């Protein structure tokens, strides 16, 4: 009989949801809210799509072969137009012109008859055409490079 009394006591105090887990947590003040709401799931899916698309673009670009570089043929510069450095210390003009011939591979014309009287002290860096122009400016001569 005692057993029946216990069952009756439980039945009188029973309420709907009394043994539900969710209501139990809420009675304790620890409400269980769903961690994954619909907005969070949509945001995570959008991020996954963007990251996947970006990775696909990077992989696609890295797999493409680079365009071949345009190769320009090397143009040989004539010694006459090559920049060289020459030093003269109180050198007579015929020696200067001979040095130019050896250095630049040019032939000089219109050499004045009194070329031995001209002496040149000069440090020069440049091409043969500019050196001839410099000598003509210094001495007032009209020497030229034979074409």
């Amino acid at each position: 009989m005692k057993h029946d009394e216990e069952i009756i006591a439980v039945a009188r105090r029973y309420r709907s949801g009394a043994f539900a887990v969710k209501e139990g947590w809420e009675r304790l003040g620890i409400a269980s809210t769903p961690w994954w709401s619909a907005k969070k799931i949509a945001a995570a899916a959008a991020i996954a799509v963007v990251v996947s698309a970006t990775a696909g673009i990077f992989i696609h670009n890295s797999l493409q072969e680079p365009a071949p570089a345009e190769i320009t043929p090397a143009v040989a510069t004539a010694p006459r137009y090559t920049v060289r450095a020459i030093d003269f210390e109180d050198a007579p003009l015929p020696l200067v012109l001979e040095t130019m011939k050896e250095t630049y591979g040019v032939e000089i014309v219109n050499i004045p008859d009194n070329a031995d009287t001209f002496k040149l002290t000069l440090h020069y860096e440049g091409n043969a055409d500019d050196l001839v122009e410099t000598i003509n400016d210094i001495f007032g001569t009209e020497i030229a490079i034979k074409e």
Side-chain angles (χ1 to χ4, degrees), residues 60-68:
H60 176 71
N61 288 342
S62 67
L63 294 178
Q64 290 181 348
E65 292 183 25

Side-chain angles (χ1 to χ4, degrees), residues 26-109:
E26 287 176 357
R27 276 193 307 264
L28 291 173
I30 308 171
S32 67
T33 58
W35 189 74
W36 285 99
S37 66
K39 289 181 182 178
K40 289 180 182 177
I41 292 172
I47 290 172
V49 167
V50 169
V51 169
S52 298
T54 304
I57 290 170
F58 281 125
I59 290 172
H60 176 71
N61 288 342
S62 67
L63 294 178
Q64 290 181 348
E65 292 183 25
E70 186 176 319
I71 300 173
T72 55
V75 178
T77 305
R80 172 180 177 175
Y81 301 107
T82 304
V83 175
R84 305 262 169 105
I86 302 176
D87 288 311
F88 301 109
E89 179 95 24
D90 201 30
L93 187 56
L95 178 62
V96 172
L97 300 177
E98 185 62 33
T99 304
M100 283 180 59
K101 181 178 179 180
E102 292 171 2
T103 303
Y104 295 108
V106 295
E107 189 174 337
I108 308 294
V109 294

